[in-house]
Amino acid sequence: MTPTQIRHFLRDDDLSHAEQRHVLDLAAALKMDRYADRSLAGPQAVAVIFDKPTLRTQVSFTTGVAELGGYPLMVDGSLAQIGERESVADTARILGRQVSAIVWRTYAQSRLTEMAEAAGVPVVNALTDDFHPCQILADLLTIAEHRGDLPGRTLAYLGDGGNNMAHSYLLGGAVAGLHVRVAAPKGHQPSAAVLADADALARAHGGSVTVTDSPQDAVAGADAVATDTWVSMGMEAEKATRRGDQSPFAPYQVTQALMDLADPEAIFLHCLPAYRGHEVTAEVIDGPRSVVWDEAENRLHVQKALLSFLLDQAGRARAGGPGRG
């Protein structure tokens, strides 16, 4: 089997609308019966590599691989020094002969792409500078649990529109058929290329994408309101200018007043870690509309479902038959 036949999850639109729905449905089922799927029985190993700080990603992937019957092979990026001690491609070839899948939390998206091109097994994006697609799957499951069917729902994201969460909300939300609104200050808005891709996807699936500098317009009537830290990993040197009353993001803090503009049943999402008093007030994140703990748990269920789907696709490709979804 050639590497091009292997399915990967490098960005949100690597799943079609039907495949995304399949993964979310499977995740909901696995949440009800956590040991029903044993796709990694053996145990088969999954390499889980971390170049960036992690809590939820480490816990959810290691637990998920184990619950699928597998062995989570933890790789410390600072020790492996992938791309420095040896090339990404050579690392991929070594891992691909010994593990069933590779999960990587790293910096440049290009590193992940290079890994996928050489690995010969499914590669999953556990966060890069450009995208955070597993988090968006968890968010979509959470919205479906609390607000019902996804197509036609409205998601508002406030804050740094140029970061990985904004990009993944645009792409993943568009695949799901959501109306995605991103409110961000000028100079911190989404990539034009990502926005164009999201717009095309949204049109195909009955949704829409909107970018505005008005947080009020973004949240008006929304079913879900989301934000993220204003200081993403790698931006620590900018902390002083990204926080405080003079920050360009200050008007985008999610407050109770902004939440009151959303639908009366609107939920609040945050991928965590959260910094109360900056991107969100304690009143909101600790209030009755916040579903951030459900959202964090759902990382486990969607990632198990995703791995199951990708392994099924790989197995069927080897056998020469069509995959599920």
Side-chain angles (χ1 to χ4, degrees), residues 20-322:
Q20 185 193 74
R21 181 67 177 264
H22 167 76
V23 168
L24 293 174
D25 286 347
L26 178 57
L30 290 176
K31 189 170 184 176
M32 298 295 293
D33 186 355
R34 284 173 61 161
Y35 304 101
D37 190 316
R38 304 291 286 174
S39 295
L40 287 167
Q44 299 175 55
V46 173
V48 187
I49 311 169
F50 297 112
D51 296 340
K52 287 189 174 189
T54 177
L55 172 63
R56 281 151 298 282
T57 300
Q58 179 175 345
V59 170
S60 56
F61 266 115
T62 55
T63 301
V65 168
E67 290 186 358
L68 289 172
Y71 172 71
L73 174 63
M74 302 294 293
V75 180
D76 184 334
S78 64
L79 295 178
Q81 297 179 19
I82 299 170
E84 298 176 24
R85 188 166 175 266
E86 56 190 316
S87 71
V88 174
D90 284 357
T91 303
R93 295 181 185 106
I94 291 165
L95 292 174
R97 288 172 175 248
Q98 301 180 63
V99 303
S100 295
I102 298 168
V103 175
W104 196 8
R105 184 180 179 94
T106 190
Y107 292 89
Q109 185 76 11
S110 59
R111 288 162 62 80
L112 202 71
T113 301
E114 187 177 357
M115 179 76 77
E117 288 172 347
V121 296
V123 174
V124 174
N125 182 349
L127 181 144
T128 62
D129 292 342
D130 290 342
F131 303 104
H132 198 359
C134 289
Q135 180 64 58
I136 267 53
L137 288 177
D139 289 10
L140 293 174
L141 179 60
T142 308
I143 295 169
E145 287 175 335
H146 288 271
R147 300 310 316 271
D149 289 343
L150 294 173
R153 297 287 177 187
T154 298
L155 166 74
Y157 169 84
L158 278 61
D160 186 354
N163 71 6
N164 50 14
M165 284 299 296
H167 289 162
S168 278
Y169 274 128
L170 284 165
L171 290 179
V175 171
L178 295 180
H179 299 291
V180 182
R181 304 173 186 163
V182 174
K186 289 181 171 59
H188 298 280
Q189 295 188 340
S191 154
V194 170
L195 187 58
D197 289 344
D199 182 64
L201 287 165
R203 290 175 186 273
H205 300 301
S208 64
V209 295
T210 303
V211 176
T212 177
D213 60 3
S214 170
Q216 292 80 12
D217 289 349
V219 303
D223 296 289
V225 177
T227 192
D228 186 21
T229 177
W230 297 338
V231 186
S232 296
M233 284 178 281
M235 295 182 176
E236 289 79 8
E238 301 176 39
K239 183 183 293 187
T241 58
R242 282 178 165 258
R243 289 185 177 171
D245 293 341
Q246 302 306 310
S247 165
F249 303 110
Y252 300 86
Q253 182 187 68
V254 181
T255 62
Q256 189 59 52
L258 274 178
M259 286 298 297
D260 288 343
L261 298 177
D263 184 89
E265 301 299 320
I267 57 174
F268 172 73
L269 300 165
H270 193 308
C271 64
L272 305 177
Y275 300 93
R276 292 164 175 82
H278 294 286
E279 71 271 13
V280 61
T281 63
E283 181 182 18
V284 171
I285 195 170
D286 298 320
R289 294 193 187 187
S290 175
V291 294
V292 298
W293 312 120
D294 292 345
E295 181 186 5
E297 178 194 338
N298 282 340
R299 287 287 301 277
L300 168 67
H301 310 302
V302 297
Q303 288 162 185
K304 287 171 63 180
L306 175 68
L307 285 171
S308 177
F309 169 77
L310 292 174
L311 291 165
D312 176 75
Q313 293 289 308
R316 290 174 182 267
R318 292 185 181 96

